């Protein structure tokens, strides 16, 4: 991929998924006007569609394979970065924004728009080519969920939320529904509905009905109005606008992008309700002061803050909502009629959650206006907690009802019941699952292996959402009938009940596979920060021992044997490295990895070499060590052997970092010696 594609990727990542979106619902909205604004605002030379179109492999079964390959190369360098196929997905949203009736196409003709945008021919790219893009959308949603809101709250639908005939293109359409003008108008709509004392938040379907009754659709974009008229797509539009209503803090505008939103949560601990704030920002300050004497104090090394200066949670403060402003930070909680609390893994106490969690216990508090809706839901789907707790507890808000412990063992039944029930409780859908993953379990020595678990403490498997569960769950290649009940109910699937033997295991579902390991124990060698030994100077050991620092440790003598005081000086090898390289690494045979820093240019260069052409080179000396010198220029790696020897990467250094570097540069050379390094890295990366 050339520089222009990478530029578009970086611009889209910063514009839509930058850290300024922490805590905000994020729509990846791109139409022709937005594309032009980005191109001119960031000084991009090439239009987005033309840039993407140049890398299509037309006439093949996989026309988007170049973008997929580029994404995997970027992922090797930065696993937490935004998936590197945003330019292609942005084009898919642009195509969705053009879906209107004209002389040539109906409003539902998506693929013709998409093909015409990228190739100039509406027949080049068809629906049979689109499945990889559908997977890219799910990867993007899964990545955004993994960031826990630090890069924006995901507004992509789950597969089960999409109409069956749009199960692939619905992702792009969902992002084209609400323009920036639509989102800026929504607080005015919400406030006009709240003025009549309506229970808040309203479900999305009720909001859409109110928009039509009041004739307010004229204030929304054409894409929104078209979706409003489509019976199949209307339910998702209702869910999208309902989620925005649930995150509204009662002010005249949504929290502006670039201003961090601190969520105000209700905490239940030691028989009383109190406030706790959660920041999704990457930068965590110890103490934050807001207007009105409100102070946030960080709780340990977490994203949570204790809150002082606010009236305690009660029927009044919960019904009115709270907002306090600070320097580029807003602390807010919208008014609510239903509180759902679950055990927080970090704090270890009950805190409010924005969705029900299947198979977990909840405490449900409902205002008088929502009690009927809550009871309907519990009667339809709850396993325990259907009856209200009638004990008079001082911490329960006056007039509110309480149910505890409320559990939902059947997630499928829960989702169906939430679609039928009215009121704010209908917004508490379980979080969407976009990929097969492991959750929980008792980890052994995460520093050795992040997927190593104590035998008997294996994790749960979370299955991805789908329209129909057509896949088969296999553990170590075998079907396990005893897991069928949990799979059918849509619950996390417990692996501890299988009594697996120690060793490596695989879990596969449909076309996806993940692995983990179990063991009875793990031996972790303690890290030595201070080492006692004898320093060596000019081949002679000192008479008395001392603490050896990092510089003295390699040549110093530790232990009782001092017979090898005379160091063997190996012949130095000199290599010339390019100054214009993007990166220069040295992968040693024993598993150590260095970044070779470019030295400053000597002052005499400009005096004696005024016409010296770039690139110039610098010297790097290697003494007593062998390996490969790797240079990356223009996205390509080249390697030079330096007494390479046989790679034994497990003997020293950081083998994982070494393996990642070698695999990233696997095309650096065709020499057999380099092939041995690549093979050793692959064995480490398994």
């Amino acid at each position: 991929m050339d520089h222009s594609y990478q530029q578009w990727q970086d611009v889209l990542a910063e514009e839509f998924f930058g850290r300024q979106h922490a805590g905000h619902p994020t729509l990846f909205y791109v139409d022709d006007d937005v594309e032009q604004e980005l191109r001119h605002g960031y000084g991009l030379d090439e239009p987005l569609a033309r840039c993407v179109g140049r890398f299509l492999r037309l006439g093949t079964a996989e026309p988007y394979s170049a973008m997929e390959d580029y994404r995997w190369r970027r992922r090797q360098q930065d696993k937490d970065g935004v998936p590197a196929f945003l330019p292609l997905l942005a084009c898919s949203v642009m195509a969705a924004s053009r879906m209107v009736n004209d002389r040539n196409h109906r409003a539902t003709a998506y693929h013709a728009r998409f093909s015409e945008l990228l190739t100039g021919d509406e027949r080049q790219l068809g629906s049979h080519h689109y499945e990889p893009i559908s997977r890219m959308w799910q990867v993007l949603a899964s990545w955004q969920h993994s960031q826990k809101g630090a890069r924006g709250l995901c507004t992509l639908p789950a597969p089960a939320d999409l109409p069956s005939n749009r199960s692939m293109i619905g992702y792009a359409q969902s992002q084209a529904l609400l323009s920036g003008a639509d989102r800026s108008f929504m607080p005015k709509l919400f406030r006009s509905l709240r003025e009549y004392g309506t229970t808040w938040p309203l479900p999305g379907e009720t909001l859409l009905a109110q928009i039509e009754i009041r004739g307010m659709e004229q204030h929304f974009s054409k894409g929104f109005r078209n979706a409003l008229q489509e019976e199949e797509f209307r339910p998702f539009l209702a869910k999208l606008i309902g989620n925005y209503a649930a995150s509204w803090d009662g002010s005249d505008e949504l929290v502006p992008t670039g201003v961090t939103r601190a969520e105000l949560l209700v905490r239940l601990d030691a028989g009383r309700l109190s406030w706790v704030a959660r920041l999704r920002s990457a930068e965590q300050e110890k103490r934050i002061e807001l207007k009105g004497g409100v102070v946030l104090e960080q709780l340990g090394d977490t994203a949570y803050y204790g809150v002082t200066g606010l009236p305690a949670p009660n029927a009044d403060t919960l019904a009115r909502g709270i907002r306090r402003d600070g320097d580029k930070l807003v602390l807010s909680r919208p008014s609510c009629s239903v509180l759902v609390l679950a055990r927080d893994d970090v704090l270890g106490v009950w805190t409010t959650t924005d969705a029900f969690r299947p198979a977990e216990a909840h405490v449900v508090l409902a205002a008088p206006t929502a009690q009927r809706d809550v009871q309907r839901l519990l009667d339809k789907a709850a396993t325990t907690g259907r009856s209200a707790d009638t004990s008079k507890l001082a911490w329960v808000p006056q007039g509110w009802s309480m149910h505890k412990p409320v559990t939902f063992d059947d997630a499928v039944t829960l989702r169906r019941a939430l679609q039928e029930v009215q009121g704010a409780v209908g917004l508490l859908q379980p979080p969407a699952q976009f990929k097969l993953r492991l959750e929980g379990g008792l980890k052994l020595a995460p520093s050795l292996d992040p997927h190593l678990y104590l035998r008997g403490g294996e994790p749960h498997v979370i299955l991805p959402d789908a329209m129909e569960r057509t896949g088969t769950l296999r553990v170590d290649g075998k079907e396990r009938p005893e897991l069928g009940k949990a799979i059918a109910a849509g619950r996390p699937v417990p692996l501890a009940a299988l009594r697996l033997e120690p060793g490596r295991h695989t879990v596969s579902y449909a076309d996806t596979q993940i692995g983990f390991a179990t063991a009875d124990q793990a031996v972790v060698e303690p890290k030595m920060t201070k080492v006692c030994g004898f320093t060596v100077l000019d081949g002679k050991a000192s008479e008395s021992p001392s603490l050896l620092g990092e510089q003295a440790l390699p040549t110093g003598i530790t232990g009782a044997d001092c017979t090898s005081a005379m160091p063997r000086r190996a012949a130095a090898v000199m290599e010339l490295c390019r100054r214009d390289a993007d990166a220069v690494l040295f992968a040693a045979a024993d598993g150590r990895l260095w970044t070779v820093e470019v030295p400053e240019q000597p002052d005499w260069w400009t005096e004696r070499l005024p016409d010296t052409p770039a690139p110039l080179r610098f010297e790097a000396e290697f003494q007593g060590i062998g390996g490969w010198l790797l240079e990356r220029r223009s996205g390509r790696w080249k390697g030079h052997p330096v007494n390479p020897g046989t790679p034994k990467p497990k003997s020293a250094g950081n083998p994982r970092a070494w393996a990642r570097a070698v695999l990233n540069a696997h095309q650096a050379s065709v020499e057999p010696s380099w092939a041995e390094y690549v093979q050793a890295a692959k064995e480490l990366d398994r």
Side-chain angles (χ1 to χ4, degrees):
M1 313 302 286
D2 69 1
H3 185 58
S4 64
Y5 188 93
Q6 183 174 328
Q7 276 188 312
W8 269 111
Q9 166 68 25
D10 294 340
V11 165
L12 294 169
E14 175 60 27
E15 188 72 17
F16 294 100
F17 303 100
R19 300 192 183 277
Q20 72 273 18
H21 292 284
H24 299 259
T26 303
L27 276 173
F28 189 19
Y29 183 85
V30 183
D31 61 10
D32 294 282
D33 292 337
V34 171
E35 189 269 351
Q36 289 186 24
E37 290 176 9
L38 294 176
R39 182 150 45 100
H40 297 312
Y42 285 90
L44 301 173
D45 297 328
E46 190 170 24
L48 174 61
R50 188 194 305 167
C51 173
V52 174
R54 287 194 294 109
F55 298 102
L56 295 175
R57 292 172 177 169
L58 299 176
T60 68
E62 298 179 348
Y64 315 113
S65 57
M67 274 72 86
E68 292 185 277
D69 293 344
Y70 176 70
R71 181 252 167 167
W72 280 109
R73 291 197 299 272
R74 287 285 293 262
R75 187 176 183 273
Q76 295 284 340
Q77 302 168 19
D78 183 7
K79 288 191 175 182
D80 290 329
V82 189
F85 36 55
L86 294 186
L88 178 60
L89 297 188
C91 288
S92 72
V93 179
M94 287 180 65
S97 71
R98 298 181 178 185
M99 292 173 63
V100 294
N101 279 315
D102 59 20
R103 295 179 180 177
N104 300 319
H105 306 291
R106 294 177 299 169
T108 55
Y110 173 81
H111 295 290
R113 307 279 188 190
F114 184 60
S115 180
E116 188 176 34
L117 174 68
L118 291 182
T119 70
D121 183 350
E122 62 185 41
R123 298 180 181 85
Q124 285 278 342
L125 299 172
S127 59
H128 58 289
H129 292 124
Y130 200 79
E131 188 173 348
I133 299 180
S134 174
R135 290 198 300 267
M136 292 179 192
W137 278 112
Q138 295 195 37
V139 169
L140 177 62
S142 182
W143 169 83
Q144 202 173 3
H145 283 303
S146 73
Q147 301 300 306
K148 303 185 186 302
R151 309 295 282 272
L153 302 178
C154 182
T155 58
L156 295 181
D161 296 328
L162 297 169
S164 58
N165 63 338
R166 305 196 186 176
S167 58
M168 292 192 295
I169 67 174
Y171 300 106
Q173 283 187 299
S174 74
Q175 302 303 284
L177 290 179
L178 295 175
S179 68
D182 293 336
R183 281 169 276 159
S184 64
F185 175 72
M186 282 195 294
K188 300 181 180 67
L189 166 67
F190 299 156
R191 180 169 288 278
S192 68
L193 295 175
R194 276 274 302 280
E195 288 177 352
Y196 294 94
T198 307
T199 301
W200 196 265
L202 289 173
E205 191 59 50
T206 303
L207 290 170
L208 294 184
Q210 288 294 325
I211 290 173
E212 293 174 316
I213 292 171
R214 295 163 178 252
M216 302 180 91
E217 62 267 26
Q218 60 182 330
H219 297 287
F220 287 88
S221 63
K222 192 170 185 178
F224 179 93
R225 297 197 302 271
N226 290 338
L228 194 61
Q229 302 303 317
E230 291 193 50
E231 289 301 321
E232 287 186 323
F233 216 69
R234 183 182 175 113
F236 176 69
L237 184 61
K239 187 168 186 179
L240 187 63
I241 198 170
N243 288 339
Y244 268 90
S247 65
W248 179 54
D249 65 357
S251 60
D252 291 331
E253 62 178 15
L254 298 175
V255 177
T257 300
V259 176
T260 300
R261 182 186 176 202
E263 301 171 85
L264 194 59
L265 309 177
V266 178
R267 173 174 56 184
L268 171 59
D269 185 24
R272 72 184 186 94
L273 296 179
S274 60
W275 298 113
V276 63
R278 178 172 60 193
L279 269 69
R280 300 184 188 273
S281 173
E283 299 179 2
Q284 305 290 348
E285 299 181 24
K286 293 294 183 183
R287 178 185 172 89
I288 302 173
E289 296 184 4
L290 305 177
K291 295 178 181 178
V294 178
V295 178
L296 309 183
E297 296 276 359
Q298 189 176 18
L299 299 176
D301 188 20
T302 71
Y304 291 91
Y305 288 74
V307 181
T308 57
L310 288 178
N314 55 39
D316 185 47
T317 53
L318 294 174
R320 287 189 290 106
I322 293 176
R323 173 167 171 148
R324 297 291 187 273
D325 293 89
D327 184 21
K328 293 188 177 181
L329 183 140
V330 169
L331 174 69
S332 67
R333 176 171 182 79
S335 63
C336 67
S337 56
V338 179
L339 275 183
V340 177
L341 300 102
R343 284 282 181 180
D344 188 276
D345 294 335
V346 177
L347 298 179
V349 297
W350 298 92
T351 59
T352 44
T353 179
D354 54 5
F356 287 116
R357 305 172 186 172
E360 292 191 25
H362 307 81
V363 175
V364 179
L365 301 172
T369 53
Q371 289 171 10
R372 184 179 177 183
D373 296 327
V374 169
Q375 191 61 59
R376 286 181 58 209
L377 172 71
L378 300 182
D379 289 341
K380 287 175 176 287
T383 307
T384 64
R386 294 185 180 183
S387 300
D389 191 322
T390 57
S391 58
K392 301 296 183 181
L393 299 176
W395 55 267
V396 177
Q398 187 175 5
W400 288 46
S401 65
M402 177 182 65
H403 296 259
K404 71 174 181 68
V406 177
T407 58
F408 301 93
D409 285 344
D410 193 322
V412 176
T413 302
L414 171 61
R415 290 182 186 276
R416 290 173 181 166
L418 286 170
Q419 292 172 356
E420 298 172 5
V421 76
Q422 295 295 311
V425 70
L427 300 174
L428 296 166
Q429 290 276 354
Q433 306 297 334
F434 290 91
K435 67 177 181 180
L436 188 69
R437 63 185 180 87
L438 301 176
E439 183 179 81
L442 300 176
K443 291 188 176 183
L444 270 177
S447 60
L448 293 179
D449 186 343
H451 302 299
L452 176 64
Y453 298 86
L454 178 68
R455 184 188 181 194
E458 292 84 357
H460 288 57
V461 177
I462 309 297
L463 299 180
D465 294 335
M467 293 296 293
E468 297 178 358
R469 294 186 179 275
T470 55
T472 301
L473 182 68
R474 299 178 184 274
V475 180
D476 296 335
K478 301 178 182 178
E479 292 187 46
R480 304 302 291 258
E482 59 266 45
L483 303 179
K485 186 176 180 180
I487 297 172
R491 300 197 308 268
V493 181
L495 297 178
L498 298 180
R499 300 183 182 276
L500 300 173
E501 293 295 323
R504 301 210 66 84
H505 304 280
T506 59
V507 179
S508 58
Y509 181 78
D511 297 328
T512 309
Q513 179 174 294
I514 52 177
F516 67 97
T518 58
D520 291 319
Q521 61 180 355
V523 179
V524 182
E525 296 183 3
K527 294 183 178 179
M528 294 180 293
T529 57
K530 296 180 179 179
V531 178
C532 185
F534 297 85
T535 58
V536 176
L537 183 62
D538 295 331
K540 184 178 181 181
S542 62
E543 296 181 355
S544 58
S546 61
L547 292 178
L548 303 182
E550 292 185 4
Q551 296 183 351
L553 188 58
T555 57
I557 298 174
T558 59
D561 185 6
C562 298
T563 57
S564 58
M566 290 293 292
R568 298 179 181 178
R569 298 189 61 83
V573 177
M574 185 73 68
E575 290 288 332
L576 294 178
C577 307
R578 296 184 68 108
R579 286 182 173 271
D580 65 337
D582 298 325
V584 181
L585 304 177
F586 183 76
D590 61 4
R592 288 180 287 177
L593 181 71
W594 284 276
T595 298
V596 182
E597 299 291 343
V598 180
E600 295 291 332
Q601 294 185 2
D603 295 335
W604 53 264
W605 274 19
T606 56
E607 299 174 3
R608 303 185 190 179
L609 305 171
D611 299 322
T612 301
L616 295 170
R617 299 176 182 268
F618 67 94
E619 298 175 350
E621 182 177 286
F622 301 90
Q623 183 172 327
I625 191 170
W628 274 79
L629 182 65
L630 305 172
E631 293 179 325
R632 188 183 72 218
R633 295 177 59 241
S634 301
R636 297 182 60 86
W637 288 93
K638 290 187 177 181
H640 308 282
V642 181
N643 297 331
T646 302
K648 298 179 180 179
K650 293 183 180 180
S651 59
N654 185 341
R656 290 186 178 277
W658 185 92
R660 285 196 300 269
V662 172
L663 291 177
N664 286 342
H666 68 279
Q667 296 179 334
S669 175
V670 296
E671 291 192 24
S673 171
W674 179 241
E676 294 179 10
Y677 276 63
V678 175
Q679 183 61 35
K682 289 180 178 179
E683 293 175 2
L684 277 176
D685 197 51
R686 285 177 180 172

